Amino acid sequence: MENFILHNPTKVFFGKGVVEKLHENIKNYGSKVLFLIGKGSVMRYGYYDIVLEQLKKSRLKYIEYKGIRPNPVIEDINYAVQMATEEKIDLIVALGGGSVIDSAKIISLAAANRKDAWEIMTKKVAVDKQIPVISILTLAGTGSEMNAAAVVQNLKQERKIGYVNSLMYPKETYLDPEFTCTVANNHTSYGIVDLVAHALEAFFADGDATLSDKFVGAIVQEAMYNAPLVLAEPKSYKYRSRIMWAATCALNGITSCGRKTSGDWAVHEIGHAISFLYDTPHGATLSIAYPAWLKFHLTKNAKRISQLGRYLFNENNISAEKTILKIETFFKSMSCPTKLTDLGFIEYDKNKILNLMIKNNVTGLNHKLEAKDLTDIVDLMYF
Ligand code: NZQ
Ligand code: ZN
């Protein structure tokens, strides 16, 4: 096992009605709040009103930024940073999915340090301060609510990149599964693919970490068991809560302890390129990229893939081929795309996606990919 430090400072409030405590808790962080939301789903389904009531009850001053896009872009973040700086805010309350929470984290660093957001993300400038972020999650999947990562697009530079900084852990996170009961089945499925993919990324990092492997197995089994149940009964608190907690645990550090890196992450890097090109939801890029990446590794890493199969499907002699087939079948069972052509509108354009992957430096951290490997993986994503 590798040496590791586990320090996750995010305080999690889980369960029905937990947001009712928000008005008391936020008073610990200052006097002026930036309230950040996405394109409007939280207003449509009433979560915005619940949180607004809490802000009013706290008697803190607040300003609002509405309109963070799914797959967030740096321009929106820059605008919100300007607001946050001018208004001298000292707390960010982010209500939404991964896109809103990720944006809040970068706004926090850029505003606190008076530095350019993209320069922070591309590590051109260092930062040492943050504005506290409180997250209230409405979509289970990314794990952003209890981790120190953020993913943002720069349309001009044709890049979608992730950035990790321990200053970005939310101070508090509110997980009320009822807030996720309105998520449409397609986005529920994409969130489930995402959490499974996070667990698998950790599994394919280097290092002997058998307990972490078992956590991966347990999290993915929880997702696979509850996926058809939640899709059949989207308003079920029971199934929503199981999926929500599984998603948080899939990327809060616990599956990476004892490994050389937090994960391999090549599949995520490939996914970000697809997402950038076609504005595809994150989980839908992973249901295409994961089967292709596994098939590419079939001969080189058959032993590790069949080991994964044993953890996921409790079959002692399961082959690598069967493991991949079962994972792909699971994605299909949730009506997720497993080929680029499933996205419908896409023409065969191998070079376009290949060039973007090279430009975005897709390699992975453990099973490193070279340009010729990416060509094979792109083929596997088409055919
Ligand atoms: O924008 P609104 O109107 O709010 O609607 C959203 C959006 O259209 C909607 N939605 C959210 N909560 C809802 C709801 N609809 C009905 N009821 C609700 N309760 O769902 C759509 C997708 O939302 P989004 O936040 O974009 O999805 P997700 O949570 O999957 O976040 C995706 C982003 O997170 C990044 C992805 O790359 C992508 O940019 N990731 C962040 C990670 C992290 N910070 O650790 C790790 C992940 O691997 C991922 O890369
Ligand atoms: Zn992900």
Side-chain angles (χ1 to χ4, degrees), residues 129-343:
K129 293 189 277 290
Q130 95 277 63
I131 292 172
V133 171
I134 291 196
S135 87
I136 304 158
L137 187 67
T138 62
L139 200 171
T142 65
S144 183
E145 65 278 9
M146 200 182 172
N147 72 35
V151 183
V152 176
Q153 299 191 96
N154 185 319
L155 301 180
K156 285 192 198 115
Q157 293 189 15
E158 298 193 317
R159 295 182 74 192
K160 182 178 188 191
I161 57 169
Y163 172 73
V164 181
N165 186 323
S166 59
L167 292 168
M168 297 199 304
Y169 281 104
K171 292 282 179 210
E172 296 181 2
T173 271
Y174 293 77
L175 302 178
D176 183 340
E178 280 191 334
F179 279 38
T180 64
C181 284
T182 50
V183 178
N185 271 10
N186 59 349
H187 278 289
T188 301
S189 304
Y190 303 151
I192 293 171
V193 173
D194 196 17
L195 87 86
V196 167
H198 295 155
L200 300 192
E201 295 279 17
F203 191 85
F204 288 106
D206 202 8
D208 169 61
T210 48
L211 182 58
S212 294
D213 287 352
K214 285 173 189 149
F215 285 145
V216 165
I219 288 167
V220 178
Q221 283 188 348
E222 181 78 349
M224 287 182 165
Y225 178 80
N226 288 290
L229 302 174
V230 78
L231 293 173
E233 266 185 74
K235 302 268 177 234
S236 161
Y237 181 85
K238 179 159 89 174
Y239 303 136
R240 287 289 184 186
S241 53
R242 290 177 182 175
I243 292 296
M244 195 173 208
W245 187 230
T248 302
C249 291
L251 197 54
N252 67 359
I254 198 77
T255 60
S256 303
C257 296
R259 306 188 196 278
K260 280 194 179 147
T261 58
S262 65
D264 182 81
W265 299 111
V267 174
H268 266 70
E269 291 167 7
I270 297 166
H272 293 336
I274 301 173
S275 168
F276 183 90
L277 268 183
Y278 307 114
D279 202 21
T280 312
H282 176 61
T285 69
L286 302 172
S287 56
I288 297 169
Y290 236 116
W293 184 90
L294 287 166
K295 285 172 197 168
F296 174 78
H297 282 284
L298 187 56
T299 35
K300 279 190 261 179
N301 292 308
K303 205 168 145 206
R304 188 67 176 149
I305 297 172
S306 48
Q307 210 172 26
L308 174 70
R310 284 201 289 284
Y311 281 117
L312 302 196
F313 306 113
N314 299 330
E315 276 183 43
N316 275 339
N317 296 317
I318 190 165
S319 65
E321 287 90 340
K322 191 168 171 197
T323 301
I324 298 171
L325 184 67
K326 277 180 154 256
I327 292 170
E328 193 171 12
T329 305
F330 171 62
F331 293 162
K332 281 185 186 159
S333 75
M334 294 191 294
S335 306
C336 290
T338 53
K339 296 283 177 195
L340 282 171
T341 42
D342 293 341
L343 295 177

